[in-house]
Amino acid sequence: MKLWKALAASAAMALAGAAAQAENGVTEDEVKIGGAHDLSGIFAPFSVPAVKAAQLYFDEVNAAGGVHGRKITYIVEDHGYQVPKAVQAANKLVNRDQVFAMLLNLGTPHNLAMFKLMGPKGIPNISPLTTARQMIDPPEPWKFSANASYYDGVRLTSEYMAAEHGSSTFCLMYLPTDFGIEIKEGLKAGADASGGTFAVETKHKPDETDFSGALGKLKDGGCDTVGLALGVSQIINAIATANKLGMSDMKFVLSSAGFHTVVAKGLAAQGVMSGVYAGAGWQDLEARLGEPAVGAWVKAYTEATGEKFPGSGALLGRSAAELLVRGLEAAGPDLSHETFIAGMEGLNYDDEIAGYTVSMDPGNHVSGTAVFVSAVENGSWKLLQTLE
């Protein structure tokens, strides 16, 4: 009987090991993770530092022996913010590289297109660089989003603007994509909830640089608060143009896609020191440099990269990397999609760098739901209020 039990236990262990070995992207000493990024397009200020920070985090983990003996290999492809290229990238990562999971994929329409390749194989999509509601709706076991949605961020920030700054006539400049539509719906919901009106909208192309005509339409429409769903450099350009045209009393509301260190610094360089607000699911770094964990990470990042300061993209990359690693740790040595998902659903910890609490369970695949409303103040982001 003892011999039979020993043989049965040995067989069970062998089967478990074989299951882990059979999972795409997983061997005894490696787990392959993919990422489809915008390294050359309008949201490169998010993707480029995000990849860099995530890789630095993985390097540290790998140097310490990996996770349950497995080193993390992060395979990155550039789609340049073009959906067809995103599909090509996903096809390579999923079918040729056979990655175990995807991390930090950038872009709302891009993720939605890639889901068609990921969904049938149940490949986990972790912390995409978009917080559109579609990242988890409809819900699927393999979908995990980071932070409050664009919709909630813009909705709550618009309500805040009405209550605290008298905003009443809301307007929008946006890219007419799934991303832009998400911002539009959030802005309209905030306007409705606060008793305001949604008046004028202007549509733009990703490579557009002249916003004078659009701003003229907004001024004629009596807009006092304008939501922006544009690329990073476009946001700076549009607001700076409004300032040059004498529209300094016009206020701007950004989603988390505009809540970036580059935006605050770029506006300051153009002479815009205030009047810009954002609702995002994380806190800016500059004001929290006195916190030991934040100060230590900023120092380590700048020393490793030679950069003066890690921007918002780096913060998001590092946070996503930590989330993935914690999920792998919680999954245990017998790694499969099933054990990984179960591990992710049990995570609860403080992300000291991003400034929010990560908490997920089987009914909630969003790592953090708080909305931090901030405003540009002399080249930096200042936290104004935390909303739920």
Side-chain angles (χ1 to χ4, degrees):
M1 181 63 72
K2 289 182 178 181
L3 178 60
W4 181 87
K5 287 183 177 181
L7 289 172
S10 177
M13 291 177 64
L15 287 171
Q21 294 292 313
E23 193 77 73
N24 281 350
V26 179
T27 66
E28 287 185 355
D29 56 11
E30 180 189 39
V31 55
K32 291 194 290 187
I33 307 298
H37 282 274
D38 178 8
L39 303 178
S40 56
I42 61 174
F43 284 104
F46 274 98
S47 271
V48 172
V51 169
K52 193 178 298 184
Q55 189 58 63
L56 286 172
Y57 193 92
F58 295 148
D59 288 345
E60 290 184 12
V61 171
N62 290 341
V67 182
H68 300 299
R70 296 186 181 93
K71 303 291 180 69
I72 298 170
T73 299
Y74 191 31
I75 306 171
V76 174
E77 297 293 328
D78 177 26
H79 59 58
Y81 205 69
Q82 297 180 41
V83 173
K85 288 187 176 181
V87 173
Q88 292 175 4
N91 185 54
K92 173 186 177 292
L93 293 166
V94 170
N95 294 316
R96 192 169 86 190
D97 297 318
Q98 296 190 324
V99 296
F100 173 75
M102 298 282 261
L103 180 76
L104 290 165
N105 289 337
L106 185 137
T108 302
H110 312 75
N111 272 274
L112 293 176
M114 291 187 283
F115 282 176
K116 296 176 183 178
L117 292 167
M118 299 164 60
K121 297 188 177 185
I123 296 175
N125 193 48
I126 313 301
S127 296
L129 283 177
T130 163
T131 59
R133 291 170 294 174
Q134 297 99 313
M135 294 305 100
I136 57 165
D137 187 17
E140 296 284 356
W142 48 273
K143 295 178 181 178
F144 291 90
S145 183
N147 317 119
S149 68
Y150 290 141
Y151 175 87
D152 286 338
V154 171
R155 175 180 61 82
L156 291 172
T157 304
S158 299
E159 292 178 23
Y160 169 87
M161 294 299 296
E164 301 296 329
H165 297 281
S167 295
S168 60
T169 305
F170 295 85
C171 299
L172 176 69
M173 300 172 69
Y174 72 117
L175 301 173
T177 64
D178 296 287
F179 159 63
I181 292 170
E182 177 88 348
I183 307 305
K184 177 179 177 178
E185 292 178 352
L187 191 71
K188 291 184 72 174
D192 290 342
S194 61
T197 60
F198 182 83
V200 181
E201 63 178 59
T202 60
K203 299 178 181 179
H204 303 274
K205 297 179 180 179
D207 59 352
E208 193 168 338
T209 58
D210 185 358
F211 299 101
S212 301
L215 287 164
K217 290 180 182 179
L218 299 181
K219 182 178 180 180
D220 292 341
C223 308
D224 58 52
T225 303
V226 179
L228 297 181
L230 303 170
V232 172
S233 61
Q234 290 180 312
I235 289 172
I236 298 170
N237 187 359
I239 298 173
T241 300
N243 193 56
K244 291 175 183 176
L245 293 175
M247 304 178 191
S248 56
D249 58 340
M250 186 177 284
K251 298 178 284 292
F252 292 89
V253 170
L254 312 180
S255 69
S256 56
F259 182 59
H260 197 296
T261 310
V262 168
V263 170
K265 302 301 180 189
L267 289 173
Q270 296 288 335
V272 181
M273 301 297 179
S274 61
V276 182
Y277 304 81
W282 66 91
Q283 298 186 54
D284 189 62
L285 287 170
E286 275 191 305
R288 298 184 295 122
L289 282 174
E291 298 175 17
V294 173
W297 177 70
V298 169
K299 182 174 184 292
Y301 180 86
T302 54
E303 289 179 350
T305 64
E307 297 176 10
K308 291 183 178 180
F309 193 80
S312 304
L315 177 152
L316 295 174
R318 182 242 171 251
S319 292
E322 180 181 8
L323 183 69
L324 174 78
V325 168
R326 285 180 179 265
L328 292 172
E329 290 172 342
D334 297 328
L335 182 60
S336 67
H337 286 154
E338 183 178 10
T339 60
F340 177 73
I341 290 169
M344 291 286 287
E345 291 177 339
L347 294 182
N348 192 300
Y349 65 93
D350 289 331
D351 185 331
E352 296 181 294
I353 308 304
Y356 69 93
T357 297
V358 172
S359 180
M360 291 189 290
D361 58 52
N364 172 39
H365 280 201
V366 181
S367 63
T369 57
V371 172
F372 300 96
V373 178
S374 302
V376 168
E377 189 174 286
N378 300 323
S380 299
W381 287 102
K382 178 182 178 181
L383 178 63
L384 301 177
Q385 194 167 338
T386 303
L387 305 171
E388 292 277 2

PDB file of all heavy atoms in Angstrom, residues 294-320:
ATOM      1  N   VAL A 294       9.397  55.382  -3.312  1.00  0.00           N
ATOM      2  CA  VAL A 294       9.381  56.151  -4.559  1.00  0.00           C
ATOM      3  C   VAL A 294      10.758  56.726  -4.848  1.00  0.00           C
ATOM      4  O   VAL A 294      11.286  56.609  -5.952  1.00  0.00           O
ATOM      5  CB  VAL A 294       8.332  57.288  -4.493  1.00  0.00           C
ATOM      6  CG1 VAL A 294       8.437  58.184  -5.730  1.00  0.00           C
ATOM      7  CG2 VAL A 294       6.930  56.705  -4.379  1.00  0.00           C
ATOM      8  N   GLY A 295      11.361  57.352  -3.826  1.00  0.00           N
ATOM      9  CA  GLY A 295      12.681  57.938  -4.005  1.00  0.00           C
ATOM     10  C   GLY A 295      13.724  56.911  -4.405  1.00  0.00           C
ATOM     11  O   GLY A 295      14.561  57.160  -5.286  1.00  0.00           O
ATOM     12  N   ALA A 296      13.669  55.735  -3.799  1.00  0.00           N
ATOM     13  CA  ALA A 296      14.639  54.675  -4.095  1.00  0.00           C
ATOM     14  C   ALA A 296      14.470  54.172  -5.529  1.00  0.00           C
ATOM     15  O   ALA A 296      15.460  53.948  -6.243  1.00  0.00           O
ATOM     16  CB  ALA A 296      14.472  53.529  -3.110  1.00  0.00           C
ATOM     17  N   TRP A 297      13.202  54.004  -5.961  1.00  0.00           N
ATOM     18  CA  TRP A 297      12.993  53.504  -7.316  1.00  0.00           C
ATOM     19  C   TRP A 297      13.405  54.538  -8.361  1.00  0.00           C
ATOM     20  O   TRP A 297      14.039  54.192  -9.359  1.00  0.00           O
ATOM     21  CB  TRP A 297      11.528  53.118  -7.542  1.00  0.00           C
ATOM     22  CG  TRP A 297      11.303  52.663  -8.956  1.00  0.00           C
ATOM     23  CD1 TRP A 297      11.745  51.510  -9.527  1.00  0.00           C
ATOM     24  CD2 TRP A 297      10.637  53.403  -9.989  1.00  0.00           C
ATOM     25  NE1 TRP A 297      11.376  51.463 -10.859  1.00  0.00           N
ATOM     26  CE2 TRP A 297      10.706  52.611 -11.163  1.00  0.00           C
ATOM     27  CE3 TRP A 297       9.979  54.629 -10.022  1.00  0.00           C
ATOM     28  CZ2 TRP A 297      10.139  53.019 -12.368  1.00  0.00           C
ATOM     29  CZ3 TRP A 297       9.414  55.045 -11.231  1.00  0.00           C
ATOM     30  CH2 TRP A 297       9.498  54.240 -12.382  1.00  0.00           C
ATOM     31  N   VAL A 298      13.064  55.790  -8.141  1.00  0.00           N
ATOM     32  CA  VAL A 298      13.452  56.851  -9.076  1.00  0.00           C
ATOM     33  C   VAL A 298      14.968  56.904  -9.209  1.00  0.00           C
ATOM     34  O   VAL A 298      15.520  57.011 -10.317  1.00  0.00           O
ATOM     35  CB  VAL A 298      12.892  58.214  -8.622  1.00  0.00           C
ATOM     36  CG1 VAL A 298      13.522  59.351  -9.433  1.00  0.00           C
ATOM     37  CG2 VAL A 298      11.383  58.241  -8.773  1.00  0.00           C
ATOM     38  N   LYS A 299      15.669  56.792  -8.100  1.00  0.00           N
ATOM     39  CA  LYS A 299      17.135  56.823  -8.111  1.00  0.00           C
ATOM     40  C   LYS A 299      17.682  55.634  -8.903  1.00  0.00           C
ATOM     41  O   LYS A 299      18.578  55.785  -9.742  1.00  0.00           O
ATOM     42  CB  LYS A 299      17.665  56.796  -6.678  1.00  0.00           C
ATOM     43  CG  LYS A 299      19.184  56.879  -6.547  1.00  0.00           C
ATOM     44  CD  LYS A 299      19.592  56.982  -5.085  1.00  0.00           C
ATOM     45  CE  LYS A 299      21.094  57.165  -4.937  1.00  0.00           C
ATOM     46  NZ  LYS A 299      21.845  55.951  -5.359  1.00  0.00           N
ATOM     47  N   ALA A 300      17.130  54.451  -8.650  1.00  0.00           N
ATOM     48  CA  ALA A 300      17.600  53.253  -9.344  1.00  0.00           C
ATOM     49  C   ALA A 300      17.322  53.342 -10.847  1.00  0.00           C
ATOM     50  O   ALA A 300      18.166  52.967 -11.670  1.00  0.00           O
ATOM     51  CB  ALA A 300      16.924  52.014  -8.757  1.00  0.00           C
ATOM     52  N   TYR A 301      16.147  53.856 -11.202  1.00  0.00           N
ATOM     53  CA  TYR A 301      15.772  53.950 -12.612  1.00  0.00           C
ATOM     54  C   TYR A 301      16.675  54.939 -13.351  1.00  0.00           C
ATOM     55  O   TYR A 301      17.171  54.657 -14.447  1.00  0.00           O
ATOM     56  CB  TYR A 301      14.310  54.373 -12.740  1.00  0.00           C
ATOM     57  CG  TYR A 301      13.836  54.492 -14.175  1.00  0.00           C
ATOM     58  CD1 TYR A 301      13.352  53.389 -14.862  1.00  0.00           C
ATOM     59  CD2 TYR A 301      13.889  55.723 -14.842  1.00  0.00           C
ATOM     60  CE1 TYR A 301      12.922  53.493 -16.173  1.00  0.00           C
ATOM     61  CE2 TYR A 301      13.466  55.838 -16.159  1.00  0.00           C
ATOM     62  CZ  TYR A 301      12.977  54.719 -16.822  1.00  0.00           C
ATOM     63  OH  TYR A 301      12.570  54.839 -18.126  1.00  0.00           O
ATOM     64  N   THR A 302      16.894  56.105 -12.755  1.00  0.00           N
ATOM     65  CA  THR A 302      17.710  57.116 -13.429  1.00  0.00           C
ATOM     66  C   THR A 302      19.163  56.665 -13.553  1.00  0.00           C
ATOM     67  O   THR A 302      19.821  56.942 -14.554  1.00  0.00           O
ATOM     68  CB  THR A 302      17.642  58.461 -12.686  1.00  0.00           C
ATOM     69  OG1 THR A 302      17.999  58.266 -11.304  1.00  0.00           O
ATOM     70  CG2 THR A 302      16.228  59.039 -12.746  1.00  0.00           C
ATOM     71  N   GLU A 303      19.659  55.955 -12.564  1.00  0.00           N
ATOM     72  CA  GLU A 303      21.027  55.452 -12.635  1.00  0.00           C
ATOM     73  C   GLU A 303      21.166  54.381 -13.715  1.00  0.00           C
ATOM     74  O   GLU A 303      22.179  54.302 -14.415  1.00  0.00           O
ATOM     75  CB  GLU A 303      21.462  54.885 -11.281  1.00  0.00           C
ATOM     76  CG  GLU A 303      21.693  55.954 -10.221  1.00  0.00           C
ATOM     77  CD  GLU A 303      22.088  55.369  -8.883  1.00  0.00           C
ATOM     78  OE1 GLU A 303      21.990  54.125  -8.721  1.00  0.00           O
ATOM     79  OE2 GLU A 303      22.491  56.146  -7.999  1.00  0.00           O
ATOM     80  N   ALA A 304      20.143  53.552 -13.865  1.00  0.00           N
ATOM     81  CA  ALA A 304      20.193  52.463 -14.843  1.00  0.00           C
ATOM     82  C   ALA A 304      20.019  52.957 -16.270  1.00  0.00           C
ATOM     83  O   ALA A 304      20.577  52.379 -17.211  1.00  0.00           O
ATOM     84  CB  ALA A 304      19.124  51.430 -14.524  1.00  0.00           C
ATOM     85  N   THR A 305      19.237  54.034 -16.448  1.00  0.00           N
ATOM     86  CA  THR A 305      18.911  54.494 -17.801  1.00  0.00           C
ATOM     87  C   THR A 305      19.646  55.753 -18.235  1.00  0.00           C
ATOM     88  O   THR A 305      19.735  56.048 -19.428  1.00  0.00           O
ATOM     89  CB  THR A 305      17.401  54.778 -17.908  1.00  0.00           C
ATOM     90  OG1 THR A 305      17.063  55.854 -17.015  1.00  0.00           O
ATOM     91  CG2 THR A 305      16.590  53.536 -17.560  1.00  0.00           C
ATOM     92  N   GLY A 306      20.133  56.531 -17.265  1.00  0.00           N
ATOM     93  CA  GLY A 306      20.771  57.793 -17.603  1.00  0.00           C
ATOM     94  C   GLY A 306      19.772  58.909 -17.840  1.00  0.00           C
ATOM     95  O   GLY A 306      20.152  60.028 -18.180  1.00  0.00           O
ATOM     96  N   GLU A 307      18.475  58.619 -17.649  1.00  0.00           N
ATOM     97  CA  GLU A 307      17.446  59.631 -17.833  1.00  0.00           C
ATOM     98  C   GLU A 307      17.350  60.524 -16.591  1.00  0.00           C
ATOM     99  O   GLU A 307      17.692  60.097 -15.483  1.00  0.00           O
ATOM    100  CB  GLU A 307      16.095  58.960 -18.097  1.00  0.00           C
ATOM    101  CG  GLU A 307      16.075  58.146 -19.384  1.00  0.00           C
ATOM    102  CD  GLU A 307      14.756  57.414 -19.582  1.00  0.00           C
ATOM    103  OE1 GLU A 307      13.798  57.690 -18.833  1.00  0.00           O
ATOM    104  OE2 GLU A 307      14.687  56.549 -20.482  1.00  0.00           O
ATOM    105  N   LYS A 308      16.852  61.745 -16.775  1.00  0.00           N
ATOM    106  CA  LYS A 308      16.751  62.667 -15.651  1.00  0.00           C
ATOM    107  C   LYS A 308      15.660  62.259 -14.669  1.00  0.00           C
ATOM    108  O   LYS A 308      15.811  62.428 -13.458  1.00  0.00           O
ATOM    109  CB  LYS A 308      16.478  64.086 -16.168  1.00  0.00           C
ATOM    110  CG  LYS A 308      17.648  64.704 -16.918  1.00  0.00           C
ATOM    111  CD  LYS A 308      17.328  66.136 -17.341  1.00  0.00           C
ATOM    112  CE  LYS A 308      18.507  66.768 -18.053  1.00  0.00           C
ATOM    113  NZ  LYS A 308      18.209  68.173 -18.475  1.00  0.00           N
ATOM    114  N   PHE A 309      14.547  61.726 -15.228  1.00  0.00           N
ATOM    115  CA  PHE A 309      13.422  61.401 -14.357  1.00  0.00           C
ATOM    116  C   PHE A 309      12.512  60.408 -15.067  1.00  0.00           C
ATOM    117  O   PHE A 309      12.271  60.542 -16.268  1.00  0.00           O
ATOM    118  CB  PHE A 309      12.626  62.670 -14.020  1.00  0.00           C
ATOM    119  CG  PHE A 309      11.645  62.515 -12.897  1.00  0.00           C
ATOM    120  CD1 PHE A 309      12.074  62.564 -11.579  1.00  0.00           C
ATOM    121  CD2 PHE A 309      10.301  62.292 -13.146  1.00  0.00           C
ATOM    122  CE1 PHE A 309      11.177  62.413 -10.531  1.00  0.00           C
ATOM    123  CE2 PHE A 309       9.388  62.142 -12.118  1.00  0.00           C
ATOM    124  CZ  PHE A 309       9.842  62.195 -10.796  1.00  0.00           C
ATOM    125  N   PRO A 310      11.996  59.401 -14.355  1.00  0.00           N
ATOM    126  CA  PRO A 310      11.074  58.452 -14.993  1.00  0.00           C
ATOM    127  C   PRO A 310       9.682  59.063 -15.140  1.00  0.00           C
ATOM    128  O   PRO A 310       9.111  59.558 -14.178  1.00  0.00           O
ATOM    129  CB  PRO A 310      11.059  57.277 -14.020  1.00  0.00           C
ATOM    130  CG  PRO A 310      11.366  57.888 -12.693  1.00  0.00           C
ATOM    131  CD  PRO A 310      12.311  59.026 -12.971  1.00  0.00           C
ATOM    132  N   GLY A 311       9.153  59.043 -16.327  1.00  0.00           N
ATOM    133  CA  GLY A 311       7.824  59.592 -16.560  1.00  0.00           C
ATOM    134  C   GLY A 311       6.732  58.596 -16.234  1.00  0.00           C
ATOM    135  O   GLY A 311       6.976  57.512 -15.686  1.00  0.00           O
ATOM    136  N   SER A 312       5.511  58.952 -16.622  1.00  0.00           N
ATOM    137  CA  SER A 312       4.354  58.124 -16.310  1.00  0.00           C
ATOM    138  C   SER A 312       4.434  56.753 -16.973  1.00  0.00           C
ATOM    139  O   SER A 312       3.992  55.746 -16.412  1.00  0.00           O
ATOM    140  CB  SER A 312       3.072  58.838 -16.759  1.00  0.00           C
ATOM    141  OG  SER A 312       2.992  60.112 -16.176  1.00  0.00           O
ATOM    142  N   GLY A 313       4.977  56.695 -18.193  1.00  0.00           N
ATOM    143  CA  GLY A 313       5.114  55.416 -18.870  1.00  0.00           C
ATOM    144  C   GLY A 313       5.979  54.452 -18.088  1.00  0.00           C
ATOM    145  O   GLY A 313       5.672  53.253 -17.980  1.00  0.00           O
ATOM    146  N   ALA A 314       7.076  54.948 -17.537  1.00  0.00           N
ATOM    147  CA  ALA A 314       7.972  54.097 -16.746  1.00  0.00           C
ATOM    148  C   ALA A 314       7.265  53.592 -15.493  1.00  0.00           C
ATOM    149  O   ALA A 314       7.399  52.424 -15.111  1.00  0.00           O
ATOM    150  CB  ALA A 314       9.231  54.880 -16.365  1.00  0.00           C
ATOM    151  N   LEU A 315       6.514  54.473 -14.842  1.00  0.00           N
ATOM    152  CA  LEU A 315       5.754  54.079 -13.652  1.00  0.00           C
ATOM    153  C   LEU A 315       4.797  52.938 -13.983  1.00  0.00           C
ATOM    154  O   LEU A 315       4.724  51.934 -13.260  1.00  0.00           O
ATOM    155  CB  LEU A 315       4.982  55.290 -13.122  1.00  0.00           C
ATOM    156  CG  LEU A 315       4.054  55.101 -11.920  1.00  0.00           C
ATOM    157  CD1 LEU A 315       3.933  56.406 -11.141  1.00  0.00           C
ATOM    158  CD2 LEU A 315       2.657  54.648 -12.341  1.00  0.00           C
ATOM    159  N   LEU A 316       4.075  53.063 -15.093  1.00  0.00           N
ATOM    160  CA  LEU A 316       3.103  52.036 -15.476  1.00  0.00           C
ATOM    161  C   LEU A 316       3.785  50.732 -15.864  1.00  0.00           C
ATOM    162  O   LEU A 316       3.288  49.642 -15.572  1.00  0.00           O
ATOM    163  CB  LEU A 316       2.238  52.541 -16.633  1.00  0.00           C
ATOM    164  CG  LEU A 316       1.339  53.735 -16.306  1.00  0.00           C
ATOM    165  CD1 LEU A 316       0.635  54.234 -17.562  1.00  0.00           C
ATOM    166  CD2 LEU A 316       0.315  53.363 -15.241  1.00  0.00           C
ATOM    167  N   GLY A 317       4.931  50.832 -16.528  1.00  0.00           N
ATOM    168  CA  GLY A 317       5.667  49.630 -16.905  1.00  0.00           C
ATOM    169  C   GLY A 317       6.160  48.865 -15.696  1.00  0.00           C
ATOM    170  O   GLY A 317       6.042  47.631 -15.621  1.00  0.00           O
ATOM    171  N   ARG A 318       6.697  49.590 -14.734  1.00  0.00           N
ATOM    172  CA  ARG A 318       7.201  48.953 -13.524  1.00  0.00           C
ATOM    173  C   ARG A 318       6.064  48.313 -12.719  1.00  0.00           C
ATOM    174  O   ARG A 318       6.179  47.195 -12.210  1.00  0.00           O
ATOM    175  CB  ARG A 318       7.923  49.998 -12.666  1.00  0.00           C
ATOM    176  CG  ARG A 318       8.541  49.417 -11.390  1.00  0.00           C
ATOM    177  CD  ARG A 318       7.887  50.071 -10.178  1.00  0.00           C
ATOM    178  NE  ARG A 318       8.304  49.372  -8.982  1.00  0.00           N
ATOM    179  CZ  ARG A 318       7.500  48.596  -8.264  1.00  0.00           C
ATOM    180  NH1 ARG A 318       6.232  48.431  -8.618  1.00  0.00           N
ATOM    181  NH2 ARG A 318       7.938  47.966  -7.200  1.00  0.00           N
ATOM    182  N   SER A 319       4.936  49.015 -12.617  1.00  0.00           N
ATOM    183  CA  SER A 319       3.798  48.493 -11.860  1.00  0.00           C
ATOM    184  C   SER A 319       3.215  47.236 -12.507  1.00  0.00           C
ATOM    185  O   SER A 319       2.858  46.278 -11.824  1.00  0.00           O
ATOM    186  CB  SER A 319       2.710  49.560 -11.735  1.00  0.00           C
ATOM    187  OG  SER A 319       3.149  50.619 -10.912  1.00  0.00           O
ATOM    188  N   ALA A 320       3.122  47.250 -13.837  1.00  0.00           N
ATOM    189  CA  ALA A 320       2.606  46.082 -14.550  1.00  0.00           C
ATOM    190  C   ALA A 320       3.537  44.886 -14.385  1.00  0.00           C
ATOM    191  O   ALA A 320       3.089  43.745 -14.234  1.00  0.00           O
ATOM    192  CB  ALA A 320       2.429  46.416 -16.029  1.00  0.00           C
TER     193      ALA A 320
END
